[in-house]
Amino acid sequence: MNGSNTFKLDGKDIPFEDGDTIMDAALRAGEYIPHLCHNPEFSPHGSCRVCVVNANGRQISACTQPAVQNMEIDNSSDEIMDQRRSLLQMLFVEGNHVCPGCEKSGACQLQAVAYYANMLSPHFTHFFPQRSVDASHADIAIDFNRCILCELCVRASRDVDHKNVFAIDGRGINSHLVINSPSGKLGDSSFAASDKAAHVCPVGAILPKHTAYDRPIGERLYDKQPISVVGDVAAHDQDEDR
Amino acid sequence: MSIEEFISSITASANNQPGHLLQYLYEIQYQYAHISQQAIKLLAEKLSLTESHIHGVIGFYSFLHDSPRGAYDVLISDSITDHMLGSRSLLDALCKKLGVVPGVPREDGRVTVDTTSCTGLCDQGPAMLVNGWAVTRLDENRIDNIAELIESATAVDQWPNEFFRVEDNIQRRDILLSDESNDGEALRSLIDQGEDAMLEQIESSGLRGRGGAGFNTGMKWRFCKQTEADQRYVVCNADEGEPGTFKDRILLNAYADKVFEGMTVCAGVIGATKGCLYLRGEYRYLRAPLEQILQQRREAGLLGNTILGQGGFDFDIEIHMGAGAYICGEESSLIESLEGKRGIPRKRPPFPVTHGYQNRPTVVNNVETFMAAALIAVHGADWFSSVGTEQSSGTKLISISGDCEKPGIYEYPFGVSIQDILKDCAAKDTQAVQIAGAAGFTIPPAEFERCIAFEDVSTGGSFMVFKQDRDLLDMVKNFAHFFVHESCGFCTPCRVGSSLMKDLVDKVHSGHAGQYDLDEMQNIGQLMRSTSHCGLGTTAPNPVLDTLEKFPQIYEKHLKHSSYEPAFDLDAALQDARDITGRDDAGAHLGTKS
Ligand SMILES: Cc1cc2nc3c(=O)[nH]c(=O)nc-3n(C[C@H](O)[C@H](O)[C@H](O)COP(=O)(O)O)c2cc1C
Ligand code: SF4
Ligand code: SF4
Ligand code: FES
C-alpha cells in the first residue's frame, strides 16, 4: 500500500511493508532480534523460539508474526531476555555442545546468541544423547551432536537444491535429522559441497572438511564483534574474515 | 498376494496420491505388522516421494513401525484412569505370562506388549488394543485368556466377541441425545431455507466449538464461505485424543447419521463438495460401520451428487485414519496429517478457514459441533439457545471416568455445576476433579460450585474424578509422561521443556526433590506456556502449574527438606550394574535414600 506503516520496537519507529513479518522489518531497519532457525533467504519456520518478543502483551515469535500498524514490541526487557536464555540453555543441554572442542567455535550462531543473551551456564541437566558423526562424504562432515533441528538444511536442499537430501524423523524429544540415501550416510547421497544446504547451518553440525582451522580461533566472526552487529554467519559465508 | 500386489491394490484405489501416504502406511502396517524397507522403496517409487520422507512419517506416528512388531501387537492403555483400575499390574502379568518385556517383540515374532496413550475407553477400562482393535474391561481372567489365545495363535477375529464389546454407557440425555428427528430432515430444512438463512440460524444459535477452544461456529463457517476459492473443504475432527474424553466415540457409534448430516449442512452453507472424517486410529473398530452408514446415505440421496434432488448440491465424505498422535487433534496438524505428512502444527496466521486442506478454505469442527449444527438446522436457533447460559448456549457432553460409581456419558445444559455432576455420577470423598484432560484444570473441592461453561470451566468433555486416598502426584506424573510422548518435537520449549519437566516430576515422585526443583518446574512451565508454537506446548504445563498452586500438599509430602538436591542420583546410576549382575540386595544399593 504505502510506505508509512510503522510499529514500535522498544519504543523506536520501524517502517514495514505489507507482508512483512516483525523480523523482516526489524532486520531491514538494522535492528537485531536474536534468531537461529530464521534465515531471510528462506520462508519463516518458527521452531527455535529464540526470536520471542512481546507484542501488545503477548509472547510471539518475531520471525513468523505479521507486522501490524502501531503494534508495540518489547525486544529487550529482562523478561524477554530471560526467556531467550532459557530457550538457548534448553538447546545446549539437549545436544552435545562442547564449544572449546568444536571447529565452529567463534563462528557459531548458537554460541554467539548465547553470548548476546548473557548465558553463563547451561543451567539445566544435560541430556547427553547418543548421537553419531558422519564423515562419509569427501568434502563435508556432519556431526549430529550439534544439530539444533532448525531445518535450514532441510529447507535449502528441498527448496533451492531440489535434492531433498535431509529430512526429520522421529517425534518429540526423539526427533532427529536423517539423510536420504540408501545407507543413510551423507557420502551415499547426492549432496555436494556447492549445495546451498552446505552453507546454511547456523551451528557446527554441517562442516566443510579440510579447512576447519584455516582461520584460527580468536580471529573469527563473533570473536571480533557481537552477533547483534555482524548478523548471521550464513550471510558471511563468502567473506574472508569468517 | 505379494507385497507388490498389495501395495498396487491399495494405492490404485486412491489413485496413487502422495497425500494418501499415511492411509497406505496404515494398511501396510496392519497387513504385515510393520512397514518393511521393501515396502518403503515401492511406495517411494510409486508416489515420487523420498524414502527418508516416508521414514519420517512412519517415525512420527506411534502405530507405524519400520521394524517388525509381534504378530499380535498388544497396546495397553496408559491413561491415569486405566492405572487406577489396575492396568499396570495387568501389563506386568501379561508380560510375565508371555515372557516379554514391554516394547520388545518376542524372539519368535509372536507378540509385542507395550503401552499407548488413552484409548478413549476410560469408562470401561482397563482397555487395550490388539492389532488396532479395542478390548475393554481387562481383568486377571481376561489377561489369562488373552495370553492363551496368543500362545495358541488364534486369529484375532476368532477371539470371543465379548472382549471387543464397547458400550455407549449414556447416563444422562438432554436435547442432543434425546433427538428423534429423521435422517435428511436437516438437509430438507437447509434446502427450504436457503444457505444464507441457514448460516444466520447457526450464528444466532450461539453454537461454539465443542472440541475445546470454543470458537463461534457460525463465524467460522462465514469466514470460510467468504474466502474466494475454487474449492472448500469440510473436516470433522474425530481425533478425540485428550485423555479422559470419549464422547465422540458414542456419537460416531450411535448418532453418526446426525454427525454426517451436520457436515453436509456445513458443505451446503459454505459451498464445499468434499469432506473428511479424521478418525483416530484407536477407533479402528468404528471404521467399517461408519463406511456402511456413508454408503446408506449415498443410496438414500443424502450424500453424493445432487443431494435430495437439488442440482448443484454435491458433497461426499471420506474417512481418514489417524495412527497414534495426540497432536493430530490440533486442527492444523490434523490437516498436515490428512495430506499424508508428519503432524506438525502450521504457523498461524494463516488459519485453516482461509488456508486449510490443500491450502483451500477449510472448516474444521468437532464431531459434537457438527451434530449440534444438524439439530439446529432441524429445530431452529431458538430451540438451541434457550438451553444453557448466555455465553454458552446448548448442552455439553461430559465423559466421566475415575473414582465414581457411574462413569459414562452425561449430557448437561451448559452452566451445570461440578458439584451436581459429582452427585449424579455418585462420586464420594472427592479430592479433585481433572477437567478438560491432561491439558486441563485440576479443580479442588473449594471450587466445586464452579460451572461447566466457556466463561467458567471450559472443557472438550473430559472429567476425571480422584477420591481422597489417591496420590494426585501420580496423575501429574502420568500427564508429564504423556506430554513427552505426544510433543511433536517441532519447537524448543515444548520438545525440551516437556522432557525436563518430566524428569523433575519423577524426581519429586521418587522423593529426591527439594524446593529448588519446584521453583524450576514453575519456571519451565511458565516458559512453555508463553513461548510454545502451538496449543499442546502452551497447555502441557497446566497440570503441574495448577497443582503447585492449588495442591501444594501433594508435593510437600514427597519433598526432601533441603532446598537443593542434585539431579544426579548415585544409587540410580548403579541400576545398570545391578541389572547385569542380577543383584538387588541391600549391599547392591548405596544409602542415598534416607
Ligand atoms: C493439542 C491439541 C489437541 C486437540 N485435540 C482435539 C481433538 O481431539 N478433537 C477436537 O475436536 N479438537 C481438538 N483440538 C482443537 C482443534 O484444534 C480445533 O480447535 C477444533 O477441532 C475445532 O472444532 P470446534 O470449533 O468444533 O471445537 C485440539 C487442540 C490442540 C491444541
Ligand atoms: S544440521 Fe544444521 S542446518 Fe540442519 S537442522 Fe541441524 S542445525 Fe539446522
Ligand atoms: S508446542 Fe511445539 S513441540 Fe509442542 S506440539 Fe506444539 S509445535 Fe510441537
Ligand atoms: S528465529 Fe523465530 S522461531 Fe527461530
Side-chain angles (χ1 to χ4, degrees), chain A residues 54-74:
Chain A
N54 185 300
N56 298 341
R58 213 165 56 87
Q59 254 73 330
I60 45 102
S61 52
C63 69
T64 58
Q65 194 69 22
V68 173
Q69 177 74 4
N70 294 335
M71 78 202 305
E72 300 210 4
I73 293 166
D74 162 15

Side-chain angles (χ1 to χ4, degrees), chain A residues 169-171, chain B residues 55-62 324-325 327-328 342-344 488:
Chain A
D169 195 351
R171 185 171 83 194
Chain B
H55 273 290
V57 173
I58 296 170
F60 189 85
Y61 295 93
S62 296
I327 187 58
C328 289
R342 294 162 58 81
I344 305 287
C488 84

Side-chain angles (χ1 to χ4, degrees), chain B residues 302-380:
Chain B
L302 301 173
L303 206 57
N305 289 337
T306 328
I307 291 171
L308 288 176
Q310 286 291 302
F313 190 3
D314 304 336
F315 180 66
D316 212 330
I317 297 171
E318 215 176 277
I319 297 175
H320 275 239
M321 298 305 294
Y326 165 64
I327 187 58
C328 289
E330 193 281 332
E331 55 186 5
S332 67
S333 304
L334 185 149
I335 289 170
E336 288 284 296
S337 185
L338 279 180
E339 294 179 357
K341 298 185 257 180
R342 294 162 58 81
I344 305 287
R346 294 178 175 177
K347 297 186 290 271
R348 38 173 68 207
F351 292 88
V353 273
T354 60
H355 297 74
Y357 183 59
Q358 312 277 16
N359 222 17
R360 304 297 200 289
T362 303
V363 164
V364 182
N365 274 136
N366 176 256
V367 174
E368 187 183 345
T369 313
F370 279 122
M371 164 138 182
L375 298 190
I376 293 166
V378 174
H379 303 290

Side-chain angles (χ1 to χ4, degrees), chain A residues 142 146-153 177 200-203 205-206:
Chain A
I142 175 155
R146 303 175 188 143
C147 174
I148 57 167
L149 297 170
C150 71
E151 293 187 48
L152 274 165
C153 58
L177 186 69
V200 292
C201 184
V203 295
I206 298 181

Side-chain angles (χ1 to χ4, degrees), chain B residues 143-363:
Chain B
I143 288 287
D144 285 349
N145 288 332
I146 287 170
E148 281 159 27
L149 289 164
I150 291 173
E151 291 295 7
S152 63
T154 309
V156 172
D157 58 10
Q158 303 297 313
W159 290 20
N161 283 336
E162 171 64 18
F163 288 15
F164 303 99
R165 189 161 55 88
V166 179
E167 274 169 13
D168 285 345
N169 221 342
I170 297 172
Q171 302 280 352
R172 187 183 194 284
R173 292 169 196 270
D174 213 293
I175 56 172
L176 291 199
L177 299 183
S178 55
D179 174 71
E180 289 181 350
S181 64
N182 296 317
D183 294 339
E185 238 179 289
L187 299 179
R188 271 179 212 103
S189 166
L190 167 66
I191 291 165
D192 291 346
Q193 295 186 48
E195 296 103 56
D196 292 331
M198 181 55 70
L199 181 53
E200 274 162 33
Q201 290 280 332
I202 302 288
E203 283 177 329
S204 66
S205 75
L207 175 62
R208 293 169 67 171
R210 268 39 178 165
F215 193 83
N216 183 294
T217 305
M219 206 188 283
K220 184 182 277 188
W221 292 14
R222 188 174 292 283
F223 284 148
C224 187
K225 185 182 172 74
Q226 282 170 348
T227 306
E228 285 297 325
D230 55 347
Q231 175 64 280
R232 294 184 187 78
Y233 294 100
V234 178
V235 173
C236 179
N237 186 344
D239 196 53
E240 189 152 71
E242 194 61 63
T245 317
F246 47 87
K247 47 106 189 162
D248 294 340
R249 158 166 69 79
I250 279 78
L251 295 182
L252 294 170
N253 188 50
Y255 299 85
D257 259 302
K258 289 285 155 321
V259 176
F260 291 140
E261 193 140 328
M263 291 175 71
T264 314
V265 168
C266 176
V269 166
I270 67 168
T273 57
K274 287 193 187 128
C276 232
L277 176 83
Y278 186 89
L279 185 64
R280 73 187 307 223
E282 289 82 346
Y283 294 167
R284 184 178 189 199
Y285 72 96
L286 286 173
R287 185 188 195 171
L290 287 170
E291 293 282 10
Q292 202 178 341
I293 291 172
L294 287 175
Q295 192 50 35
Q296 285 162 3
R297 290 185 70 81
R298 286 181 199 112
E299 284 158 16
L302 301 173
L303 206 57
N305 289 337
T306 328
I307 291 171
L308 288 176
Q310 286 291 302
F313 190 3
D314 304 336
F315 180 66
D316 212 330
I317 297 171
E318 215 176 277
I319 297 175
H320 275 239
M321 298 305 294
Y326 165 64
I327 187 58
C328 289
E330 193 281 332
E331 55 186 5
S332 67
S333 304
L334 185 149
I335 289 170
E336 288 284 296
S337 185
L338 279 180
E339 294 179 357
K341 298 185 257 180
R342 294 162 58 81
I344 305 287
R346 294 178 175 177
K347 297 186 290 271
R348 38 173 68 207
F351 292 88
V353 273
T354 60
H355 297 74
Y357 183 59
Q358 312 277 16
N359 222 17
R360 304 297 200 289
T362 303
V363 164

